[in-house]
Amino acid sequence: MAEAYQQTSEKSRLVALLLCLFVGYIGIHRFYAGKNGSGVLYLCTYGLFGIGVLVDLIMILTGSFTDDHGLLIIDWEGTEGKPASYAPAHPHPAYTQTPPRPVPPPPQKNAEEMFCNSCGSIVKKDETFCRNCGAVLQH
Ligand SMILES: [Zn+2]
């Protein structure tokens, strides 16, 4: 399956085209593609006296221009810096879940109530025995 995948350059074909059009006579598009050696040559010869620039322009337009790794520059926007796959815009489901309900406050005893000394449950002060554990309430 690896042979079926055509690896292409991450350089932008549009940038290479524009550079070739406007500053191709000094080889800027070749520097952009990483071809520094031929870029210097273009710089010294005004793009091989214009012929090299014209050839490169045609090659970029036809999608046969390559970078210094021999990879075709055919992606118009370029893939440099792009993630391998587009991540979904919505956040992880864990962050979208509603927060857990707040813990209800502990029961508040009022003036007529007291805590059982035996089990700690709230009982009425006028009761003799705890309704929960049956212990005798200490008043
Ligand atoms: Zn009790």
Side-chain angles (χ1 to χ4, degrees):
M1 292 300 286
E3 290 81 3
Y5 177 67
Q6 177 69 46
Q7 196 178 9
T8 57
S9 175
E10 62 186 14
K11 303 290 184 191
S12 166
R13 186 172 167 189
L14 181 63
V15 173
L17 176 66
L18 292 174
L19 289 175
C20 185
L21 269 173
F22 294 107
V23 284
Y25 63 95
I26 50 173
I28 300 301
H29 63 293
R30 287 201 162 254
F31 287 111
Y32 173 71
K35 298 175 171 182
N36 294 338
S38 57
V40 171
L41 181 68
Y42 274 48
L43 188 62
C44 298
T45 61
Y46 292 102
L48 298 177
F49 310 105
I51 299 169
V53 175
L54 190 64
V55 171
D56 286 349
L57 191 64
I58 294 168
M59 288 183 74
I60 292 169
L61 286 171
T62 57
S64 54
F65 195 68
T66 58
D67 64 9
D68 57 328
H69 300 294
L71 302 173
L72 288 170
I73 301 174
I74 57 174
D75 193 308
W76 284 106
E77 292 183 351
T79 56
E80 198 166 19
K82 282 185 184 176
S85 60
Y86 291 100
H90 51 81
H92 194 267
Y95 295 105
T96 61
Q97 287 175 355
T98 53
R101 284 174 164 272
V103 178
Q108 299 289 320
K109 69 182 180 72
N110 55 40
E112 288 76 43
E113 290 175 336
M114 60 174 283
F115 288 115
C116 169
N117 293 323
S118 179
C119 70
S121 66
I122 296 172
V123 291
K124 284 189 167 67
K125 277 185 173 178
D126 58 359
E127 286 181 334
T128 311
F129 299 100
C130 173
R131 284 175 295 169
N132 189 41
C133 66
V136 178
L137 297 173
Q138 306 288 324
H139 291 283

